[in-house]
Amino acid sequence: GAVVSQHPSRVICKSGTSVKIECRSLDFQATTMFWYRQFPKQSLMLMATSNEGSKATYEQGVEKDKFLINHASLTLSTLTVTSAHPEDSSFYICSANAGVAKNIQYFGAGTRLSVL
Amino acid sequence: RKEVEQDPGPFNVPEGATVAFNCTYSNSASQSFFWYRQDCRKEPKLLMSVYSSGNEDGRFTAQLNRASQYISLLIRDSKLSDSATYLCVVNVAGNMLTFGGGTRLMVKP
C-alpha cells in the first residue's frame, strides 16, 4: 500500500489562484520530504527539500515566495503555489524516505496542476 | 553534461524479448543507485536498488560499474506490462536523489 499520500490528485484553476498541495507520510515520521516538478516528457526536477520545524531548502531557480513550503508536523508537508499562472502547470510530486535504512524514497501519487 | 544520462528511447520490443538500458552518472562521489519505473501520468515507483555486486529480482537484473560510472538494467522475457519509462536514479549525499531523463520502453504483442 501507499506509504506517502498526496492530495489533491488533480487541480484545474484560474490564473492568479493559489493552490495548496498536501503530502502526508503514512505510519511513519518524515523529518524531511522532497518536492519535485515534472513537465511533459521531462524528468523529475527537485524543487525543494522540506524540513520539519525549519525553513525549506530551495533548489537554484525555484522562487521561495512563489512556492511556499510548510512542514509543520512530522507527517505533513504542504506546497502552496501562490498566484499560479499557466506556466506553473505541471505534475508536482512529493516524496519521503522510508524503509528500515531510510534510504528508499517513496513518492506520493502526484498532483496534476492545470492553470487556465 | 547532465548529472545522470539515459538514452530516452523509445525502445520498441516484442513480447518475450530481452532488453537492456544503460545509464551514466557524472559524480564519482555518488553513493546509492536505483532504478525506478514510471507509468504515464503516474508517480515513480521503486523497481530495484543497484548494488556493486550486481543484483537480480526475477526477470530484472541491475549492474553497477563504479569505475566507468555506469549502471545497467536488463529485462528478460518482456511482458506487455513492462511498458513504462525507466528512470535511473543516483544519490550523491544525504537523501537527495538525482533523476535521469528516463528511457521509454514499449513492449508490443
Side-chain angles (χ1 to χ4, degrees):
Chain A
V3 295
V4 176
S5 172
Q6 188 173 340
H7 178 82
S9 59
R10 184 81 167 98
V11 178
I12 301 172
C13 67
K14 292 182 180 178
S15 188
T17 307
S18 291
V19 176
K20 188 181 204 178
I21 303 169
E22 292 188 348
C23 183
R24 294 180 185 274
S25 58
L26 305 178
D27 300 323
F28 72 98
Q29 295 179 338
T31 54
T32 304
M33 289 185 178
F34 302 92
W35 287 97
Y36 296 85
R37 180 168 53 186
Q38 186 177 33
F39 290 107
K41 297 188 186 297
Q42 295 186 27
S43 191
L44 280 76
M45 295 299 294
L46 180 66
M47 298 175 66
T49 302
S50 173
N51 305 298
E52 189 270 334
S54 65
K55 291 182 179 179
T57 305
Y58 289 82
E59 295 301 300
Q60 192 173 11
V62 179
E63 299 175 57
K64 62 180 182 180
D65 296 328
K66 170 80 173 174
F67 299 98
L68 299 178
I69 291 173
N70 187 300
H71 196 149
S73 78
L74 287 170
T75 59
L76 174 64
S77 174
T78 61
L79 168 68
T80 301
V81 183
T82 60
S83 187
H85 288 95
E87 58 267 28
D88 298 322
S89 299
S90 188
F91 191 46
Y92 292 86
I93 315 177
C94 69
S95 72
N97 280 65
V100 174
K102 288 203 177 283
N103 65 343
I104 303 296
Q105 276 195 29
Y106 290 90
F107 289 82
T111 298
R112 191 161 300 280
L113 172 63
S114 298
V115 185
L116 306 178
Chain B
R1 183 186 171 189
K2 290 181 182 176
E3 291 186 57
V4 181
E5 289 206 65
Q6 295 180 249
D7 180 344
F11 284 60
N12 295 297
V13 303
E15 264 187 298
T18 295
V19 61
F21 305 138
N22 302 321
C23 167
T24 57
Y25 59 95
S26 60
N27 193 328
S28 59
S30 299
Q31 299 176 351
S32 307
F33 309 88
F34 310 90
W35 283 102
Y36 277 74
R37 169 194 170 129
Q38 186 175 25
D39 291 285
C40 188
R41 303 171 84 85
K42 299 283 187 182
E43 77 278 17
K45 293 186 177 176
L46 179 67
L47 180 65
M48 59 196 302
S49 301
V50 186
Y51 302 117
S52 297
S53 55
N55 49 300
E56 188 175 306
D57 183 0
R59 298 181 293 108
F60 300 85
T61 301
Q63 294 200 313
L64 167 65
N65 184 321
R66 285 189 184 269
S68 302
Q69 296 180 197
Y70 168 98
I71 306 159
S72 67
L73 176 68
L74 183 77
I75 305 176
R76 289 182 298 277
D77 188 23
S78 300
K79 312 290 184 191
L80 295 176
S81 57
D82 293 334
S83 298
T85 296
Y86 290 83
L87 303 170
C88 176
V89 183
V90 172
N91 168 243
V92 175
N95 294 321
M96 290 176 57
L97 300 181
T98 301
F99 287 78
T103 298
R104 191 169 168 214
L105 172 66
M106 297 181 69
V107 182
K108 311 264 181 168

